[in-house]
Amino acid sequence: MRILGIESSCDETGIAIYDDGKGLLAHQLYSQVKVHADYGGVVPELASRDHVRKTLPLIDAAFAQAGCGPEDLDGIAYTAGPGLVGALLVGTSIGRSLAYGWDIPAVAVHHMEGHLLAPMLEENTPEFPFIALLVSGGHTMMVKVAGIGQYEVLGESVDDAAGEAFDKTAKLLGLDYPGGPRLAKMAEHGVAKRFVFPRPMTDKPGLDFSFSGLKTAASITIRENDDDDQTKADIAHAFQTAVIDTLVIKCKRALKQTGIKRLVIAGGVSANTQLRLQLERVMKGMKGEVFYPRTEFCTDNGAMIAYAGMQRLKAGQFATLDMKTKPRWPIDSLEPI
């Protein structure tokens, strides 16, 4: 089976062609960072318009890279949610229309299921069951995964997602958009323990997350101290350490609670080097194993959508002719395979 994947949920247009026998044949990605940089964040209308301009040329580029054409496809997978409704509508309408015109099936893919399954694109893949920590700009959740579509949400953020907190704190530090990766880079030059921030919701049972208070603590610290480069780096270091410690504590709690020894981390924040190092140490100490996608597949991309869509199409799940998007779409509402 050979699938074309289309990702357009936010500010990146991702196109990929995946073959279940040969693996990933093509991977095209366009980032809208320059489009939104002047505004300090994603402008939904501009994001939608840019997806309109970029999606079809990227599909052509993917075909050229893979050395195949529409006649070689067995289906099209597109992100139907969650995400920005206008951006989702672009990918949904293009994906569904092309599938209709080429007389092949289409499947609507859950964006976070794509992230959750992204490690399956690597050579070393996790077996079910496993615990998944999904951390991105829009979502932070802990999920028990018994199989594809068999998801139990153990905990999630009650306010800001981890990636969102990174970006907002970076903005307070005067860093350009996208701020999260820039804050992580700045933190490398910070002095440990000059500032200490709370590890929210770790002193009480449960696996929910909260990062708004941590962001507020960082804001107060920024306001009450000098704005020299070293102070900013020290604050960035303290903030990143607090976020990572919180995520690690919750992962250890979830693993002990379930008795599962396999951990998957996915989503944009999973590219954070310090988070990966700490979780690798934790899993080694627990005699378990941690899995994550390569860096380019941590952020939004078409490859994860093509792979997730292929699993759904193989199970006989197809999209109807209507074009539905779901800006809000609980992952535990998905149909199991």
Side-chain angles (χ1 to χ4, degrees):
M1 182 177 281
R2 185 170 293 182
I3 301 295
L4 172 71
I6 301 174
E7 157 59 26
S8 68
S9 64
C10 190
D11 60 344
E12 287 166 316
T13 311
I15 305 295
I17 298 174
Y18 187 87
D19 185 288
D20 62 351
K22 299 179 180 179
L24 188 63
L25 302 180
H27 169 53
Q28 297 287 324
L29 185 69
Y30 172 78
S31 173
Q32 299 179 359
V33 167
K34 292 182 179 179
V35 175
H36 304 289
D38 290 342
Y39 305 95
V42 178
V43 181
E45 178 63 22
L46 295 181
S48 303
R49 294 183 183 188
D50 219 37
H51 286 306
V52 170
R53 286 190 288 265
K54 299 297 182 181
T55 302
L56 290 177
L58 286 175
I59 291 175
D60 289 338
F63 279 136
Q65 182 182 357
C68 66
E71 67 279 3
D72 300 304
L73 294 178
D74 297 295
I76 296 179
Y78 56 85
T79 304
L84 301 176
V85 63
L88 291 169
L89 280 168
V90 176
T92 296
S93 58
I94 291 176
R96 193 65 199 83
S97 299
L98 289 178
Y100 181 78
W102 293 338
D103 193 26
I104 55 177
V107 61
V109 174
H110 190 291
H111 179 71
M112 296 310 293
E113 181 173 63
H115 277 303
L116 187 150
L117 297 177
M120 302 297 185
L121 295 165
E122 308 303 325
E123 289 187 10
N124 183 27
T125 60
E127 295 180 0
F128 299 111
F130 57 78
I131 297 297
L133 172 65
L134 303 179
V135 276
S136 66
H139 302 84
T140 300
M141 62 177 68
M142 194 80 69
V143 185
K144 179 181 177 182
V145 182
I148 297 178
Q150 300 175 50
Y151 309 132
E152 178 186 354
V153 177
L154 303 176
E156 57 190 332
S157 180
V158 298
D159 42 55
D160 289 353
E164 183 181 7
F166 260 99
D167 288 339
K168 288 180 177 179
T169 302
K171 192 172 184 178
L172 292 171
L173 286 167
L175 300 176
D176 292 335
Y177 170 84
R182 299 178 191 276
L183 186 150
K185 188 69 175 177
M186 176 182 279
E188 294 176 4
H189 305 287
V191 175
K193 298 183 179 179
R194 177 184 172 186
F195 301 104
V196 179
F197 294 140
R199 276 61 173 162
M201 297 185 74
T202 57
D203 58 349
K204 59 178 67 175
L207 293 168
D208 284 336
F209 302 88
S210 172
F211 294 105
S212 63
L214 178 56
K215 180 193 64 183
T216 300
S219 175
I220 293 171
T221 303
I222 293 168
R223 190 164 61 245
E224 293 180 347
N225 287 272
D226 296 331
D227 63 349
D228 59 280
D229 290 344
Q230 187 58 55
T231 297
K232 288 182 177 181
D234 295 344
I235 292 172
H237 185 282
F239 176 82
Q240 176 176 260
T241 301
V243 172
I244 290 174
D245 283 354
T246 300
L247 295 174
V248 170
I249 289 169
K250 295 288 185 174
C251 284
K252 290 171 66 177
R253 188 175 294 176
L255 292 163
K256 290 179 180 179
Q257 179 178 308
T258 60
I260 295 173
K261 298 291 186 179
R262 287 178 291 273
L263 175 68
V264 162
I265 56 170
V269 181
S270 70
N272 185 283
T273 303
Q274 292 303 312
L275 176 61
R276 291 190 176 202
L277 288 173
Q278 285 210 37
L279 286 175
E280 284 174 0
R281 283 196 291 266
V282 166
M283 296 310 294
K284 185 177 180 180
M286 298 180 71
K287 297 182 179 179
E289 194 171 2
V290 61
F291 303 84
Y292 37 73
R294 72 196 78 166
T295 304
E296 63 185 313
F297 293 155
C298 289
T299 52
D300 296 349
N301 63 86
M304 68 182 191
I305 301 304
Y307 181 86
M310 175 172 289
Q311 308 313 309
R312 294 283 171 184
L313 284 172
K314 281 185 174 181
Q317 298 179 14
F318 311 112
T320 55
L321 284 175
D322 53 350
M323 299 180 188
K324 293 181 180 179
T325 59
K326 299 180 180 180
R328 296 181 183 275
W329 190 1
I331 195 170
D332 54 3
S333 69
L334 294 178
E335 184 178 343
I337 293 178

